[in-house]
Amino acid sequence: KPGQDDETSILIQTRPATRRPPLYKVLLLNDDYTPMEFVVHVLERFFGLNHAQAFEIMLTVHKKGVAVVGVFSHEIAETKVGQVMDFARRHQHPLQCTMEKED
Ligand code: NFA
Protein backbone atom coordinates (compact mmCIF):
# COMPACT_ATOMS: atom_id res chain seq x y z
CA LYS A 1 0.00 0.00 0.00
CA PRO A 2 1.09 3.67 -0.44
CA GLY A 3 3.08 5.61 2.18
CA GLN A 4 5.44 2.77 3.18
CA ASP A 5 9.16 3.40 4.11
CA ASP A 6 10.97 1.00 1.74
CA GLU A 7 12.44 3.73 -0.51
CA THR A 8 13.59 6.09 2.28
CA SER A 9 15.13 3.60 4.74
CA ILE A 10 18.79 4.31 5.83
CA LEU A 11 21.15 1.53 6.89
CA ILE A 12 23.76 2.97 9.29
CA GLN A 13 27.18 1.39 8.80
CA THR A 14 29.12 0.21 11.83
CA ARG A 15 32.66 1.63 12.21
CA PRO A 16 35.01 -0.44 10.06
CA ALA A 17 38.01 -1.90 11.87
CA THR A 18 40.71 0.04 9.99
CA ARG A 19 44.09 -0.85 11.56
CA ARG A 20 46.95 1.51 10.89
CA PRO A 21 50.23 -0.16 9.87
CA PRO A 22 53.09 0.03 12.39
CA LEU A 23 55.55 2.92 12.21
CA TYR A 24 59.32 2.59 12.38
CA LYS A 25 61.89 4.85 14.05
CA VAL A 26 65.02 5.45 11.99
CA LEU A 27 68.02 5.66 14.32
CA LEU A 28 71.47 7.11 13.72
CA LEU A 29 74.36 5.73 15.81
CA ASN A 30 77.48 7.52 16.98
CA ASP A 31 81.00 6.40 16.11
CA ASP A 32 84.47 7.89 16.64
CA TYR A 33 85.41 8.45 12.99
CA THR A 34 82.60 9.82 10.81
CA PRO A 35 83.12 13.60 10.45
CA MET A 36 80.43 15.77 12.01
CA GLU A 37 79.95 17.70 8.73
CA PHE A 38 79.29 14.42 6.91
CA VAL A 39 76.54 13.48 9.38
CA VAL A 40 74.97 16.94 9.03
CA HIS A 41 75.03 16.53 5.25
CA VAL A 42 73.36 13.09 5.49
CA LEU A 43 70.57 14.48 7.67
CA GLU A 44 69.95 17.39 5.28
CA ARG A 45 70.11 15.22 2.16
CA PHE A 46 68.07 12.16 3.17
CA PHE A 47 65.79 13.48 5.90
CA GLY A 48 64.93 16.94 4.56
CA LEU A 49 66.17 18.72 7.66
CA ASN A 50 67.43 22.31 7.55
CA HIS A 51 71.02 22.97 8.63
CA ALA A 52 70.13 23.95 12.22
CA GLN A 53 67.90 20.87 12.74
CA ALA A 54 70.53 18.60 11.18
CA PHE A 55 73.31 20.05 13.36
CA GLU A 56 71.18 19.63 16.49
CA ILE A 57 70.40 15.95 15.79
CA MET A 58 74.04 15.26 14.85
CA LEU A 59 75.14 16.73 18.23
CA THR A 60 72.53 14.62 20.08
CA VAL A 61 73.88 11.45 18.42
CA HIS A 62 77.47 12.53 19.17
CA LYS A 63 76.72 13.17 22.86
CA LYS A 64 74.12 10.46 23.65
CA GLY A 65 75.23 7.70 21.26
CA VAL A 66 71.97 7.44 19.31
CA ALA A 67 68.97 9.53 18.24
CA VAL A 68 65.74 9.08 16.34
CA VAL A 69 66.03 11.00 13.07
CA GLY A 70 62.49 10.29 11.85
CA VAL A 71 59.45 7.99 12.01
CA PHE A 72 58.17 6.38 8.81
CA SER A 73 56.26 3.48 7.27
CA HIS A 74 58.27 0.24 6.99
CA GLU A 75 58.98 0.81 3.28
CA ILE A 76 60.09 4.43 3.65
CA ALA A 77 62.22 3.60 6.73
CA GLU A 78 63.97 0.77 4.83
CA THR A 79 64.67 3.13 1.93
CA LYS A 80 66.17 5.80 4.23
CA VAL A 81 68.37 3.25 6.05
CA GLY A 82 69.59 1.88 2.72
CA GLN A 83 70.34 5.35 1.35
CA VAL A 84 72.33 6.36 4.44
CA MET A 85 74.25 3.07 4.64
CA ASP A 86 75.13 3.17 0.91
CA PHE A 87 76.20 6.81 1.07
CA ALA A 88 78.36 6.22 4.18
CA ARG A 89 79.99 3.12 2.66
CA ARG A 90 80.72 4.92 -0.62
CA HIS A 91 82.51 7.64 1.38
CA GLN A 92 84.27 5.03 3.55
CA HIS A 93 82.73 6.25 6.79
CA PRO A 94 81.54 3.76 9.44
CA LEU A 95 78.29 5.62 10.12
CA GLN A 96 75.48 3.23 11.10
CA CYS A 97 71.76 3.74 10.54
CA THR A 98 69.09 1.27 11.69
CA MET A 99 65.32 1.03 12.09
CA GLU A 100 63.15 -0.15 14.97
CA LYS A 101 59.40 -0.75 15.25
CA GLU A 102 57.62 1.90 17.27
CA ASP A 103 55.75 0.73 20.43
N1 NFA B 1 81.46 11.25 16.90
C1 NFA B 1 81.81 11.75 15.58
C2 NFA B 1 83.04 12.65 15.69
O1 NFA B 1 83.43 13.06 16.78
C3 NFA B 1 80.66 12.54 14.96
C4 NFA B 1 79.43 11.74 14.74
C5 NFA B 1 78.20 12.25 15.12
C6 NFA B 1 79.48 10.46 14.14
C7 NFA B 1 77.01 11.53 14.91
C8 NFA B 1 78.32 9.74 13.96
C9 NFA B 1 77.08 10.26 14.31
N2 NFA B 1 83.66 12.97 14.55
Side-chain angles (χ1 to χ4, degrees):
K1 55 172 155 36
Q4 248 184 316
D5 289 338
D6 293 348
E7 292 85 11
T8 53
S9 297
I10 299 170
L11 297 179
I12 304 296
Q13 292 285 28
T14 56
R15 176 169 53 85
T18 49
R19 290 188 52 75
R20 288 167 296 106
L23 293 174
Y24 290 78
K25 298 181 284 193
V26 170
L27 309 170
L28 204 60
L29 278 60
N30 188 37
D31 66 73
D32 292 339
Y33 305 105
T34 304
M36 290 185 173
E37 320 83 71
F38 182 83
V39 178
V40 171
H41 179 72
V42 161
L43 292 170
E44 291 173 333
R45 178 167 175 150
F46 298 116
F47 296 91
L49 302 178
N50 68 37
H51 193 78
Q53 294 170 327
F55 198 91
E56 191 173 285
I57 292 182
M58 180 282 296
L59 264 194
T60 301
V61 177
H62 177 69
K63 289 195 269 197
K64 308 242 238 190
V66 62
V68 175
V69 305
V71 178
F72 307 97
S73 69
H74 187 275
E75 183 175 335
I76 299 293
E78 271 197 330
T79 300
K80 303 277 184 201
V81 169
Q83 287 173 330
V84 172
M85 294 299 284
D86 284 356
F87 193 66
R89 191 177 322 106
R90 283 196 283 123
H91 289 84
Q92 304 194 7
H93 294 310
L95 183 64
Q96 295 292 306
C97 185
T98 61
M99 59 193 274
E100 176 181 292
K101 195 166 164 185
E102 221 185 31
D103 316 292

